[in-house]
Amino acid sequence: MTTIAELTNLIELHGIMLVTKKVFWEDPYQTQLSTRIAGVTNENITLEETIFYAFSGGQESDAGTIGGYPVIAAAKQGLDIVYTLPADHGLQPGQTVEVQIDWNRRYRLMRLHFAAEMVLQLVYKHAPGIERIGAHISEDKARIDFAREGSISALFPMIEREAAALIAADLPIITAFEDEQSQHRYWEVLGFSRMACGGTHPRTTLEIGSIKLKRKNTGKGKERIEIMLGA
């Protein structure tokens, strides 16, 4: 079985530069795409274009299919994305394939991702100097870990109130390149905050809906905020 690292070495050995066009940045609401296979090494493939997000910045990968085959893994390799399919997929370079993502999962990830980043900015506002030490966004909930002595739940009333106001204001969430060549991106809500991020986000704050916060102590000097979507 060829690993993604081995595939990357093969690409470097032959001097091939594969950079998948990331349509999920242009339109995170697109759920189907017809594109061509750019490269194949055993079970690992690359695409000319993709709507299939790969794990990055704490946001989990999309779920779905390429050419009718389930995607087992999606991983960033430099500026490219490598997808792992079942070993018997039989796809060939240049072949046209349909890419399909699980929209319900994508939309929850989009909403939870921005909800987490909104909460993070509000924590920074009310606890200056606090250090974020981890984050993860799954389909069911998001979490942010901080280095902090004492319960972080003391901040919840302010965070929940201000988050609810931002959501109700239905503000546009602007996303764009900070540096297109290196593919560094950011989001911005005017009057609130701007943050470097290459994830997928909804168009407006209103789409997030209501959120719920939960505090967990994960060890001495470590506090976790879990963020869940309301009904």
Side-chain angles (χ1 to χ4, degrees), residues 82-98:
V82 177
Y83 299 102
T84 302
L85 304 181
D88 62 350
H89 64 77
L91 299 176
Q92 298 296 322
Q95 183 177 344
T96 299
V97 291
E98 296 297 319

Side-chain angles (χ1 to χ4, degrees), residues 23-218:
V23 179
F24 53 71
W25 282 336
E26 299 173 4
D27 184 4
Y29 294 81
Q30 186 171 338
T31 61
Q32 292 180 297
L33 174 72
S34 180
T35 187
R36 293 194 303 175
I37 302 290
V40 177
T41 300
N42 298 330
E43 68 272 26
N44 297 314
I45 71 163
T46 55
L47 301 172
E48 292 184 359
E49 299 178 294
T50 188
I51 56 171
F52 203 113
Y53 186 83
F55 181 88
S56 180
Q59 180 177 329
E60 290 185 358
S61 301
D62 285 324
T65 59
I66 296 175
Y69 295 95
V71 177
I72 297 169
K76 288 180 62 180
Q77 291 291 311
L79 300 182
D80 203 14
I81 298 177
V82 177
Y83 299 102
T84 302
L85 304 181
D88 62 350
H89 64 77
L91 299 176
Q92 298 296 322
Q95 183 177 344
T96 299
V97 291
E98 296 297 319
V99 182
Q100 174 85 43
I101 64 167
D102 180 336
W103 168 244
N104 289 333
R105 174 179 169 82
R106 158 67 70 80
Y107 195 46
R108 288 185 64 85
L109 287 167
M110 286 167 57
R111 293 163 64 206
L112 279 164
H113 192 155
F114 191 78
E117 291 180 331
M118 181 175 60
V119 168
L120 175 63
Q121 295 303 313
L122 291 171
V123 170
Y124 286 157
K125 174 184 175 181
H126 293 291
I130 195 170
E131 180 187 1
R132 182 187 66 172
I133 56 175
H136 188 86
I137 296 93
S138 69
E139 182 180 4
D140 297 324
K141 63 184 176 182
R143 65 165 172 83
I144 316 172
D145 296 333
F146 298 93
R148 178 182 171 91
E149 298 291 344
S151 175
I152 201 165
S153 62
L155 302 176
F156 284 9
M158 294 176 290
I159 292 172
E160 290 172 338
R161 180 174 62 252
E162 293 180 28
L166 283 165
I167 292 167
D170 195 14
L171 300 173
I173 300 171
I174 301 164
T175 59
F177 282 108
E178 206 160 43
D179 180 344
E180 189 166 1
Q181 185 173 1
S182 60
Q183 297 194 1
H184 290 163
R185 291 179 64 82
Y186 69 90
W187 64 258
E188 182 174 16
V189 173
L190 296 176
F192 171 57
S193 189
R194 172 171 167 156
M195 180 177 173
C197 181
T200 57
H201 302 90
R203 294 188 183 99
T204 74
T205 58
L206 186 64
E207 290 186 52
I208 297 167
S210 63
I211 61 172
K212 299 178 182 178
L213 305 183
K214 182 180 179 181
R215 176 250 179 181
K216 277 194 175 181
N217 175 256
T218 58

